[in-house]
Each structure stands twice: as C-alpha cells, then as structure tokens.
Coordinates of all heavy atoms in Angstrom, one line a residue:
M121 N -8.1 -7.3 10.1 CA -8.7 -6.6 8.9 C -7.8 -6.8 7.7 O -6.6 -6.8 7.9 CB -8.9 -5.1 9.2 CG -9.7 -4.4 8.2 SD -9.8 -2.6 8.6 CE -10.7 -2.6 10.1
K122 N -8.3 -7.0 6.6 CA -7.5 -7.3 5.4 C -6.7 -6.1 5.0 O -7.1 -4.9 5.0 CB -8.5 -7.6 4.2 CG -7.8 -8.1 3.0 CD -8.9 -8.6 2.0 CE -8.3 -8.9 0.7 NZ -8.0 -7.6 -0.1
E123 N -5.4 -6.3 4.7 CA -4.5 -5.2 4.3 C -5.0 -4.5 3.1 O -5.5 -5.2 2.2 CB -3.1 -5.8 4.0 CG -2.1 -4.8 3.7 CD -1.5 -4.1 4.9 OE1 -1.2 -4.8 5.9 OE2 -1.4 -2.9 4.9
G124 N -5.0 -3.2 3.1 CA -5.4 -2.5 2.0 C -6.9 -2.0 2.0 O -7.3 -1.1 1.3
T125 N -7.7 -2.5 2.9 CA -9.1 -2.1 3.0 C -9.1 -0.9 4.0 O -10.2 -0.3 4.2 CB -10.0 -3.2 3.6 OG1 -9.5 -3.6 4.8 CG2 -10.0 -4.4 2.6
N126 N -8.1 -0.6 4.7 CA -8.0 0.6 5.6 C -6.8 1.4 5.3 O -5.8 0.9 4.7 CB -8.0 0.1 7.0 CG -6.9 -0.9 7.3 OD1 -5.8 -0.4 7.7 ND2 -7.0 -2.1 7.0
V127 N -6.8 2.6 5.7 CA -5.6 3.5 5.4 C -4.5 3.2 6.3 O -4.6 2.7 7.4 CB -6.0 5.0 5.4 CG1 -7.1 5.3 4.4 CG2 -6.4 5.4 6.8
S128 N -3.3 3.5 5.8 CA -2.1 3.3 6.6 C -2.0 4.5 7.6 O -2.7 5.4 7.5 CB -0.8 3.4 5.7 OG -0.9 2.3 4.8
P129 N -1.1 4.4 8.6 CA -1.0 5.4 9.6 C -0.9 6.8 9.0 O -1.4 7.8 9.5 CB 0.3 5.1 10.4 CG 0.3 3.6 10.3 CD -0.2 3.3 8.9
C130 N -0.2 7.0 7.8 CA 0.0 8.3 7.2 C -1.1 8.7 6.3 O -1.1 9.8 5.8 CB 1.3 8.2 6.4 SG 1.2 7.1 5.0
G131 N -2.0 7.8 6.0 CA -3.1 8.1 5.1 C -2.9 7.5 3.7 O -3.8 7.7 2.8
A132 N -1.8 6.8 3.5 CA -1.6 6.2 2.2 C -2.5 4.9 2.1 O -2.9 4.4 3.1 CB -0.1 5.8 2.0
L133 N -2.8 4.6 0.8 CA -3.5 3.3 0.6 C -2.6 2.4 -0.1 O -2.2 2.6 -1.3 CB -4.7 3.6 -0.3 CG -6.1 3.8 0.4 CD1 -7.2 3.9 -0.7 CD2 -6.4 2.7 1.4
C134 N -2.2 1.3 0.5 CA -1.2 0.3 0.0 C -1.6 -0.2 -1.4 O -0.8 -0.3 -2.3 CB -1.0 -0.8 0.9 SG -0.1 -0.3 2.4
P135 N -2.9 -0.5 -1.7 CA -3.2 -1.0 -3.0 C -3.0 0.0 -4.2 O -2.9 -0.4 -5.3 CB -4.7 -1.3 -2.9 CG -4.9 -1.6 -1.5 CD -4.0 -0.6 -0.8
E136 N -2.8 1.3 -3.9 CA -2.5 2.3 -4.9 C -1.0 2.3 -5.3 O -0.6 2.9 -6.2 CB -2.8 3.7 -4.4 CG -4.3 3.9 -4.3 CD -4.7 5.3 -4.1 OE1 -3.9 6.1 -3.8 OE2 -5.9 5.6 -4.2
C137 N -0.2 1.5 -4.5 CA 1.3 1.5 -4.8 C 1.6 0.3 -5.7 O 1.1 -0.8 -5.5 CB 2.0 1.3 -3.5 SG 3.8 1.1 -3.7
A138 N 2.5 0.5 -6.7 CA 2.9 -0.5 -7.7 C 3.6 -1.7 -7.1 O 3.6 -2.8 -7.6 CB 3.7 0.1 -8.8
K139 N 4.2 -1.4 -5.9 CA 5.0 -2.5 -5.2 C 4.1 -3.5 -4.5 O 4.5 -4.6 -4.1 CB 6.0 -1.9 -4.2 CG 6.9 -0.9 -4.8 CD 8.2 -1.4 -5.1 CE 9.1 -0.4 -5.6 NZ 10.2 -0.9 -6.5
Y140 N 2.8 -3.1 -4.3 CA 1.9 -3.9 -3.5 C 1.0 -4.8 -4.4 O 0.5 -4.3 -5.5 CB 0.9 -3.0 -2.7 CG -0.1 -3.7 -1.9 CD1 0.2 -4.2 -0.6 CD2 -1.4 -3.9 -2.4 CE1 -0.8 -4.9 0.1 CE2 -2.3 -4.6 -1.7 CZ -2.0 -5.1 -0.4 OH -3.0 -5.8 0.3
P141 N 0.9 -6.1 -4.2 CA 1.4 -6.8 -3.0 C 2.6 -7.7 -3.3 O 3.1 -8.3 -2.4 CB 0.2 -7.7 -2.7 CG -0.4 -8.1 -4.0 CD -0.2 -6.9 -4.9
A142 N 3.0 -7.7 -4.6 CA 4.1 -8.6 -4.9 C 5.4 -8.3 -4.2 O 6.1 -9.2 -3.7 CB 4.3 -8.6 -6.5
E143 N 5.8 -7.0 -4.2 CA 7.1 -6.7 -3.6 C 7.0 -6.2 -2.2 O 8.0 -6.1 -1.5 CB 7.8 -5.7 -4.5 CG 8.2 -6.2 -5.9 CD 8.6 -5.1 -6.8 OE1 9.7 -4.5 -6.5 OE2 7.9 -4.8 -7.7
C144 N 5.8 -5.8 -1.8 CA 5.6 -5.3 -0.4 C 4.3 -5.7 0.1 O 3.3 -5.5 -0.6 CB 5.7 -3.7 -0.4 SG 5.3 -3.0 1.3
A145 N 4.2 -6.3 1.2 CA 3.0 -6.9 1.8 C 2.1 -5.8 2.4 O 0.9 -6.1 2.8 CB 3.3 -8.0 2.8
G146 N 2.5 -4.6 2.4 CA 1.7 -3.5 3.0 C 2.2 -3.0 4.3 O 2.8 -3.8 5.1
C147 N 2.0 -1.7 4.5 CA 2.6 -1.0 5.7 C 2.4 -1.8 7.0 O 3.3 -2.0 7.8 CB 1.9 0.4 5.7 SG 2.4 1.3 7.2
R148 N 1.1 -2.1 7.3 CA 0.9 -2.7 8.6 C 1.5 -4.1 8.7 O 1.9 -4.5 9.8 CB -0.6 -2.7 8.9 CG -1.2 -1.3 9.0 CD -2.6 -1.3 9.5 NE -3.2 0.0 9.3 CZ -3.1 1.1 10.1 NH1 -2.3 1.0 11.2 NH2 -3.7 2.2 9.9
S149 N 1.5 -4.9 7.6 CA 2.0 -6.2 7.6 C 3.5 -6.2 7.9 O 4.1 -7.0 8.6 CB 1.8 -6.9 6.3 OG 0.4 -7.1 6.1
I150 N 4.2 -5.2 7.3 CA 5.6 -5.1 7.5 C 6.0 -4.2 8.6 O 7.2 -3.9 8.8 CB 6.3 -4.7 6.1 CG1 5.9 -3.3 5.7 CG2 6.1 -5.7 5.0 CD1 6.6 -2.7 4.6
E151 N 5.1 -3.7 9.3 CA 5.3 -2.8 10.5 C 6.2 -1.6 10.2 O 7.1 -1.3 10.9 CB 5.8 -3.6 11.7 CG 4.8 -4.7 12.1 CD 5.2 -5.3 13.5 OE1 6.4 -5.4 13.8 OE2 4.2 -5.6 14.2
G152 N 5.9 -1.0 9.0 CA 6.6 0.2 8.7 C 8.0 0.1 8.2 O 8.7 1.0 8.0
R153 N 8.4 -1.2 7.9 CA 9.8 -1.4 7.4 C 9.7 -1.4 5.9 O 9.9 -2.4 5.2 CB 10.4 -2.7 7.9 CG 10.7 -2.6 9.4 CD 11.2 -3.9 10.0 NE 11.6 -3.7 11.4 CZ 10.8 -3.7 12.4 NH1 9.5 -3.8 12.2 NH2 11.3 -3.5 13.6
V154 N 9.5 -0.3 5.3 CA 9.2 -0.1 3.9 C 10.5 -0.1 3.1 O 11.5 0.4 3.6 CB 8.3 1.1 3.7 CG1 9.0 2.4 3.9 CG2 7.5 1.1 2.4
Y155 N 10.4 -0.5 1.8 CA 11.6 -0.6 1.0 C 12.4 0.6 0.8 O 13.6 0.6 0.8 CB 11.2 -1.2 -0.4 CG 10.4 -0.2 -1.3 CD1 11.0 0.7 -2.2 CD2 9.0 0.0 -1.1 CE1 10.4 1.6 -2.9 CE2 8.3 1.0 -1.8 CZ 9.0 1.8 -2.7 OH 8.3 2.7 -3.4
W156 N 11.7 1.8 0.8 CA 12.5 3.0 0.5 C 13.3 3.5 1.7 O 14.1 4.5 1.5 CB 11.6 4.1 0.0 CG 10.3 4.4 0.7 CD1 9.0 4.0 0.4 CD2 10.2 5.1 2.0 NE1 8.1 4.5 1.4 CE2 8.8 5.1 2.3 CE3 11.1 5.7 2.8 CZ2 8.3 5.7 3.5 CZ3 10.6 6.3 4.0 CH2 9.3 6.3 4.3
L157 N 13.2 2.8 2.8 CA 14.0 3.2 4.0 C 15.5 3.0 3.6 O 16.4 3.6 4.3 CB 13.6 2.4 5.2 CG 12.3 2.8 5.8 CD1 11.9 1.8 6.8 CD2 12.3 4.2 6.4
A158 N 15.8 2.2 2.7 CA 17.2 1.9 2.3 C 17.9 3.2 1.9 O 19.1 3.4 2.0 CB 17.2 1.0 1.1
Y159 N 17.1 4.2 1.4 CA 17.6 5.5 1.0 C 17.7 6.5 2.1 O 18.2 7.6 1.9 CB 16.8 6.1 -0.2 CG 16.6 5.1 -1.3 CD1 15.4 4.4 -1.5 CD2 17.6 4.9 -2.2 CE1 15.3 3.5 -2.6 CE2 17.5 4.1 -3.3 CZ 16.3 3.3 -3.5 OH 16.2 2.5 -4.5
T160 N 17.2 6.2 3.3 CA 17.1 7.1 4.4 C 18.0 6.8 5.6 O 18.3 7.7 6.4 CB 15.7 7.2 4.9 OG1 15.4 6.0 5.6 CG2 14.6 7.4 3.8
G161 N 18.5 5.6 5.7 CA 19.3 5.2 6.8 C 18.4 4.8 8.0 O 19.0 4.5 9.1
R162 N 17.1 4.8 7.9 CA 16.2 4.5 9.0 C 15.8 3.0 8.9 O 15.8 2.4 7.8 CB 15.0 5.3 9.0 CG 15.1 6.8 9.4 CD 13.8 7.4 9.5 NE 13.0 6.8 10.6 CZ 13.1 7.2 11.9 NH1 13.8 8.2 12.2 NH2 12.4 6.6 12.8
A163 N 15.5 2.4 10.1 CA 15.1 1.0 10.0 C 13.5 0.9 9.9 O 13.0 -0.1 9.4 CB 15.5 0.3 11.3
V164 N 12.8 1.9 10.5 CA 11.4 1.9 10.4 C 10.9 3.3 10.0 O 11.5 4.3 10.4 CB 10.8 1.6 11.8 CG1 9.3 1.6 11.8 CG2 11.3 0.2 12.3
C165 N 9.8 3.3 9.2 CA 9.3 4.6 8.8 C 9.0 5.5 10.0 O 8.4 5.0 11.0 CB 8.0 4.3 8.1 SG 6.9 5.8 7.9
A166 N 9.4 6.8 10.0 CA 9.3 7.7 11.1 C 7.8 7.9 11.5 O 7.5 8.0 12.7 CB 10.0 9.0 10.8
V167 N 6.9 8.0 10.5 CA 5.5 8.1 10.8 C 5.0 6.9 11.5 O 4.3 7.0 12.5 CB 4.7 8.4 9.5 CG1 3.2 8.4 9.7 CG2 5.2 9.7 8.8
Y168 N 5.2 5.8 10.9 CA 4.8 4.5 11.5 C 5.3 4.4 13.0 O 4.5 4.1 13.9 CB 5.2 3.3 10.7 CG 4.6 2.0 11.2 CD1 3.5 1.5 10.6 CD2 5.2 1.3 12.3 CE1 2.9 0.3 11.1 CE2 4.6 0.1 12.7 CZ 3.5 -0.4 12.1 OH 2.9 -1.5 12.6
E169 N 6.5 4.6 13.2 CA 7.2 4.5 14.5 C 6.5 5.4 15.5 O 6.2 5.0 16.6 CB 8.7 4.8 14.4 CG 9.4 4.4 15.6 CD 10.9 4.4 15.3 OE1 11.5 5.5 15.0 OE2 11.5 3.3 15.4
C170 N 6.3 6.7 15.1 CA 5.8 7.7 16.0 C 4.3 7.4 16.3 O 3.9 7.4 17.5 CB 5.9 9.1 15.4 SG 5.1 10.4 16.4
C171 N 3.5 7.2 15.3 CA 2.1 7.0 15.4 C 1.7 5.7 16.1 O 1.0 5.7 17.1 CB 1.5 7.1 14.0 SG -0.3 6.8 14.0
V172 N 2.2 4.6 15.5 CA 1.8 3.2 16.0 C 2.5 2.8 17.2 O 1.9 2.4 18.2 CB 1.9 2.2 14.8 CG1 1.5 0.8 15.3 CG2 1.1 2.6 13.6
K173 N 3.8 2.9 17.1 CA 4.7 2.4 18.3 C 4.7 3.5 19.4 O 4.7 3.1 20.6 CB 6.1 2.1 17.8 CG 6.2 1.1 16.7 CD 5.9 -0.3 17.2 CE 6.1 -1.4 16.1 NZ 5.5 -2.6 16.5
G174 N 4.9 4.7 19.0 CA 5.1 5.8 20.0 C 3.8 6.2 20.7 O 3.7 6.3 21.9
K175 N 2.8 6.5 19.9 CA 1.6 7.0 20.5 C 0.4 6.0 20.6 O -0.6 6.3 21.1 CB 1.1 8.2 19.6 CG 2.1 9.4 19.6 CD 1.5 10.6 18.8 CE 2.5 11.6 18.5 NZ 3.0 12.4 19.7
N176 N 0.7 4.8 20.1 CA -0.2 3.7 20.2 C -1.6 4.1 19.5 O -2.6 3.7 20.0 CB -0.5 3.3 21.7 CG -0.9 1.9 21.8 OD1 -0.7 1.1 20.9 ND2 -1.6 1.6 22.9
M177 N -1.4 4.8 18.4 CA -2.6 5.2 17.6 C -2.7 4.3 16.4 O -1.7 3.9 15.9 CB -2.6 6.7 17.3 CG -2.5 7.6 18.5 SD -2.9 9.3 18.1 CE -1.7 9.6 16.8
R178 N -3.9 4.2 15.8 CA -4.0 3.4 14.6 C -3.5 4.2 13.4 O -2.9 3.7 12.4 CB -5.4 3.0 14.3 CG -5.6 2.2 13.1 CD -6.8 1.3 13.1 NE -6.8 0.6 11.8 CZ -6.1 -0.5 11.6 NH1 -5.3 -1.0 12.5 NH2 -6.2 -1.1 10.4
D179 N -3.8 5.5 13.4 CA -3.3 6.4 12.3 C -3.2 7.8 12.9 O -3.5 8.1 14.0 CB -4.2 6.4 11.1 CG -5.6 6.8 11.4 OD1 -5.8 7.9 11.9 OD2 -6.6 6.1 11.0
C180 N -2.6 8.7 12.0 CA -2.3 10.1 12.5 C -3.5 11.0 12.5 O -3.4 12.2 12.8 CB -1.2 10.7 11.6 SG 0.3 9.8 11.7
G181 N -4.7 10.6 12.1 CA -5.8 11.4 11.9 C -6.2 12.3 13.1 O -6.6 13.4 12.9
A182 N -6.0 11.8 14.3 CA -6.4 12.6 15.5 C -5.2 13.3 16.1 O -5.4 14.0 17.1 CB -7.0 11.6 16.6
C183 N -4.1 13.3 15.5 CA -2.9 14.0 16.1 C -3.0 15.5 15.8 O -3.1 15.9 14.6 CB -1.6 13.4 15.5 SG -0.2 14.2 16.2
P184 N -2.9 16.4 16.8 CA -2.9 17.8 16.5 C -1.7 18.3 15.7 O -1.8 19.4 15.1 CB -2.9 18.4 17.9 CG -2.5 17.3 18.9 CD -2.8 16.0 18.2
A185 N -0.7 17.5 15.6 CA 0.5 18.0 14.8 C 0.4 17.6 13.4 O 1.3 18.0 12.6 CB 1.8 17.3 15.4
L186 N -0.6 16.9 13.0 CA -0.8 16.5 11.6 C -0.9 17.7 10.6 O -1.8 18.5 10.9 CB -2.0 15.6 11.5 CG -2.4 15.0 10.1 CD1 -1.3 14.0 9.7 CD2 -3.7 14.4 10.1
P187 N -0.2 17.7 9.5 CA 0.9 16.8 9.1 C 2.2 17.3 9.7 O 2.6 18.5 9.4 CB 0.9 17.0 7.6 CG 0.5 18.4 7.3 CD -0.5 18.7 8.5
C188 N 2.9 16.5 10.4 CA 4.1 16.9 11.1 C 5.3 16.8 10.2 O 5.2 16.4 9.0 CB 4.3 16.1 12.3 SG 4.9 14.4 11.9
E189 N 6.5 17.1 10.7 CA 7.7 17.1 9.8 C 8.1 15.7 9.4 O 9.0 15.6 8.5 CB 8.9 17.8 10.6 CG 9.5 17.0 11.7 CD 8.7 16.7 12.9 OE1 7.6 17.4 13.1 OE2 9.0 15.7 13.6
K190 N 7.5 14.7 10.0 CA 7.8 13.3 9.5 C 7.2 13.0 8.2 O 7.6 12.0 7.6 CB 7.4 12.3 10.6 CG 8.1 12.5 11.9 CD 7.6 11.5 13.0 CE 8.2 11.8 14.3 NZ 7.8 13.1 14.9
F191 N 6.2 13.8 7.8 CA 5.7 13.7 6.4 C 6.6 14.4 5.4 O 6.4 15.5 5.0 CB 4.3 14.3 6.4 CG 3.2 13.4 7.0 CD1 3.2 13.3 8.4 CD2 2.2 12.8 6.3 CE1 2.2 12.5 9.0 CE2 1.3 12.0 6.9 CZ 1.3 11.8 8.3
T192 N 7.6 13.6 5.0 CA 8.6 14.2 4.1 C 8.2 14.1 2.7 O 7.4 13.2 2.3 CB 10.0 13.6 4.3 OG1 9.8 12.2 4.3 CG2 10.6 14.0 5.7
K193 N 8.8 14.9 1.8 CA 8.4 14.9 0.4 C 8.8 13.5 -0.3 O 9.9 13.0 0.0 CB 9.1 16.0 -0.3 CG 8.7 16.1 -1.8 CD 9.4 17.2 -2.5 CE 9.1 17.2 -4.0 NZ 9.5 16.0 -4.7
D194 N 7.9 13.0 -1.1 CA 8.3 11.8 -1.9 C 9.2 12.3 -3.1 O 8.7 13.1 -3.9 CB 7.0 11.2 -2.5 CG 7.2 10.0 -3.3 OD1 8.4 9.8 -3.8 OD2 6.3 9.3 -3.5
P195 N 10.4 11.9 -3.1 CA 11.4 12.4 -4.1 C 11.0 12.0 -5.6 O 11.5 12.5 -6.5 CB 12.7 11.8 -3.7 CG 12.4 10.7 -2.8 CD 11.1 10.9 -2.2
T196 N 10.1 11.0 -5.7 CA 9.7 10.6 -7.1 C 8.6 11.5 -7.6 O 8.3 11.4 -8.8 CB 9.2 9.1 -7.1 OG1 8.0 9.0 -6.3 CG2 10.3 8.2 -6.5
L197 N 8.1 12.4 -6.8 CA 7.0 13.3 -7.3 C 7.5 14.7 -7.4 O 8.4 15.1 -6.7 CB 5.8 13.2 -6.3 CG 5.2 11.9 -6.0 CD1 4.1 12.0 -4.9 CD2 4.6 11.3 -7.3
S198 N 6.8 15.5 -8.2 CA 7.1 16.9 -8.3 C 6.5 17.6 -7.1 O 5.7 17.0 -6.4 CB 6.4 17.6 -9.6 OG 5.0 17.5 -9.4
D199 N 6.8 18.8 -6.8 CA 6.3 19.5 -5.6 C 4.7 19.5 -5.7 O 4.0 19.3 -4.7 CB 6.8 21.0 -5.5 CG 8.2 21.0 -5.1 OD1 8.8 20.0 -4.7 OD2 8.8 22.1 -5.2
K200 N 4.2 19.8 -6.9 CA 2.8 19.9 -7.1 C 2.1 18.5 -6.9 O 1.1 18.4 -6.2 CB 2.5 20.4 -8.5 CG 1.1 20.9 -8.7 CD 1.0 21.5 -10.1 CE -0.5 21.6 -10.4 NZ -0.8 21.9 -11.8
E201 N 2.7 17.5 -7.5 CA 2.2 16.1 -7.3 C 2.2 15.7 -5.8 O 1.3 15.1 -5.3 CB 3.0 15.1 -8.1 CG 2.8 15.2 -9.6 CD 3.8 14.4 -10.4 OE1 4.9 14.1 -9.8 OE2 3.5 14.1 -11.5
N202 N 3.3 16.1 -5.2 CA 3.5 15.7 -3.8 C 2.4 16.4 -2.9 O 1.9 15.8 -2.0 CB 4.9 16.1 -3.3 CG 5.2 15.4 -1.9 OD1 5.4 14.2 -1.8 ND2 5.2 16.2 -0.9
A203 N 2.2 17.7 -3.2 CA 1.2 18.4 -2.4 C -0.2 17.8 -2.6 O -1.0 17.7 -1.7 CB 1.2 19.9 -2.8
A204 N -0.5 17.4 -3.8 CA -1.8 16.8 -4.1 C -1.9 15.5 -3.4 O -3.0 15.1 -2.9 CB -2.0 16.6 -5.6
N205 N -0.8 14.7 -3.4 CA -0.8 13.4 -2.8 C -1.0 13.6 -1.3 O -1.8 12.9 -0.6 CB 0.5 12.7 -3.1 CG 0.5 11.3 -2.7 OD1 -0.5 10.6 -3.0 ND2 1.5 10.8 -2.1
L206 N -0.3 14.5 -0.7 CA -0.4 14.8 0.8 C -1.9 15.2 1.1 O -2.5 14.7 2.1 CB 0.5 15.9 1.2 CG 0.5 16.2 2.7 CD1 0.8 15.0 3.6 CD2 1.5 17.4 3.0
A207 N -2.5 16.1 0.3 CA -3.8 16.5 0.5 C -4.8 15.3 0.5 O -5.7 15.2 1.4 CB -4.3 17.5 -0.5
K208 N -4.6 14.4 -0.4 CA -5.4 13.2 -0.5 C -5.3 12.3 0.8 O -6.2 11.8 1.3 CB -5.0 12.4 -1.7 CG -6.0 11.5 -2.3 CD -5.7 11.1 -3.7 CE -4.6 10.1 -3.8 NZ -4.4 9.6 -5.2
M209 N -4.0 12.2 1.2 CA -3.8 11.4 2.5 C -4.5 12.0 3.7 O -5.1 11.4 4.5 CB -2.2 11.3 2.7 CG -1.6 10.4 1.7 SD 0.2 10.8 1.5 CE 0.9 10.4 3.1
L210 N -4.3 13.4 3.8 CA -4.9 14.1 4.9 C -6.5 14.0 4.9 O -7.1 13.8 5.9 CB -4.5 15.5 4.9 CG -3.0 15.8 5.1 CD1 -2.7 17.2 5.1 CD2 -2.5 15.1 6.4
R211 N -7.0 14.0 3.7 CA -8.5 13.9 3.5 C -8.9 12.5 4.0 O -9.9 12.4 4.7 CB -8.9 14.1 2.1 CG -9.5 15.4 1.8 CD -10.3 15.5 0.5 NE -9.7 14.8 -0.7 CZ -8.8 15.3 -1.5 NH1 -8.3 16.6 -1.3 NH2 -8.3 14.7 -2.5
R212 N -8.2 11.5 3.6 CA -8.5 10.1 4.1 C -8.5 10.0 5.6 O -9.3 9.4 6.2 CB -7.5 9.1 3.5 CG -7.9 8.6 2.1 CD -7.0 7.4 1.8 NE -6.9 7.3 0.4 CZ -5.8 7.5 -0.3 NH1 -4.6 7.7 0.3 NH2 -5.8 7.4 -1.6
L213 N -7.4 10.6 6.2 CA -7.3 10.5 7.6 C -8.4 11.2 8.4 O -8.7 10.8 9.5 CB -5.9 11.0 8.1 CG -4.7 10.2 7.7 CD1 -3.4 11.0 8.0 CD2 -4.7 8.9 8.4
K214 N -8.9 12.3 7.8 CA -9.9 13.0 8.4 C -11.3 12.5 8.2 O -12.3 12.8 8.9 CB -9.9 14.5 8.0 CG -8.6 15.2 8.4 CD -8.5 15.3 9.9 CE -7.3 16.1 10.3 NZ -7.1 16.0 11.8
T215 N -11.5 11.6 7.2 CA -12.8 11.2 6.9 C -13.0 9.7 7.1 O -14.2 9.2 7.0 CB -13.2 11.4 5.4 OG1 -12.2 10.8 4.6 CG2 -13.2 12.9 5.1
E216 N -12.0 8.9 7.4 CA -12.2 7.5 7.5 C -13.0 7.1 8.8 O -13.0 7.9 9.7 CB -10.8 6.8 7.6 CG -10.0 7.0 8.8 CD -9.1 5.8 9.1 OE1 -9.1 4.8 8.4 OE2 -8.3 6.0 10.0
Ligands
LIG39 S1 5.5 2.9 5.8 FE1 5.2 5.0 6.6 S2 4.9 6.2 4.7 FE2 4.6 4.0 4.2 S3 2.4 3.7 4.4 FE3 3.4 3.1 6.3 S4 3.2 5.0 7.6 FE4 2.9 5.6 5.5
LIG40 S1 3.6 13.6 15.3 FE1 1.4 13.1 14.9 S2 1.2 13.4 12.7 FE2 3.4 13.2 13.1 S3 3.9 11.0 12.8 FE3 3.5 11.3 15.0 S4 1.3 10.8 15.2 FE4 1.6 11.2 13.0

C-alpha cells in the first residue's frame, strides 16, 4: 500500500508532516526510526515497536490500552494543541 494513504500505528498521517517525504520516507517505510528519536535516546519509536513489532498489529486501534503511556506529548505543541492532535489520531484509529 502506498505510504501516506493509511494511518501510522499511532494514528498520525505522514503526509501532514512537513518532513514528509523529502526528509522522512514515512513511519512504515522507516520502521519507526523517526528523526525525533535523536532527542529521546531510543532507536525505534516506542509506539511502533510495541504495536507492530511486539503485538504484530497494524495499528493501535484495537488495543484496550489506547492511548497508553507511550503516546507522549509532542514538545513542539502546546498542551491544548497536543490534546487536539491526540484526539484526531484516536478518531482516525477508531474509524479507519
Ligand atoms: S514513528 Fe511512532 S509516532 Fe511516528 S508515526 Fe510512527 S508510530 Fe507514530
Ligand atoms: S500498548 Fe497498545 S496503544 Fe500502547 S503502543 Fe502498544 S499497541 Fe499501541
């Protein structure tokens, strides 16, 4: 399936990100090794690792723990913006 036509494991849509596609090929193409991990000390996104690698699921939509503690705040957003963004991601995961 073409990258960007489906939601990422966390509910994000890669084409909505300014880094896509020139600087990042998209979550599934890079298998969760996203650029901002440089600020976290992790090698792979915790959501991607748990959902795709750990539970062998395509996305978090069916997980009873959603949204779990791995859904951390985006530091580039205000609390209000982050909450709105998370709500949008969860809506996508529940309706896709
Ligand atoms: S790398 Fe992680 S946060 Fe980014 S789109 Fe993929 S699952 Fe979501
Ligand atoms: S615990 Fe569930 S909601 Fe959290 S990252 Fe893993 S699959 Fe997704």
Side-chain angles (χ1 to χ4, degrees):
M121 194 183 293
K122 189 170 168 286
E123 183 78 47
T125 58
N126 55 93
V127 300
S128 295
C130 65
L133 263 187
C134 294
E136 290 190 349
C137 176
K139 306 258 185 209
Y140 178 85
E143 293 170 69
C144 175
C147 174
R148 296 191 193 275
S149 295
I150 62 172
E151 298 191 327
R153 290 178 174 78
V154 72
Y155 70 96
W156 49 257
L157 290 169
Y159 305 102
T160 70
R162 293 188 60 89
V164 181
C165 163
V167 172
Y168 187 95
E169 192 168 62
C170 174
C171 176
V172 180
K173 301 287 185 198
K175 299 185 192 288
N176 206 24
M177 300 193 308
R178 179 152 182 85
D179 61 52
C180 296
C183 180
L186 180 70
C188 73
E189 77 292 342
K190 295 177 187 68
F191 283 69
T192 49
K193 182 183 176 296
D194 181 342
T196 66
L197 301 179
S198 69
D199 286 352
K200 197 175 162 191
E201 289 168 336
N202 193 71
N205 194 42
L206 178 61
K208 205 160 73 172
M209 289 156 65
L210 297 180
R211 255 196 321 273
R212 273 194 206 114
L213 289 173
K214 293 297 180 189
T215 57
E216 74 154 348

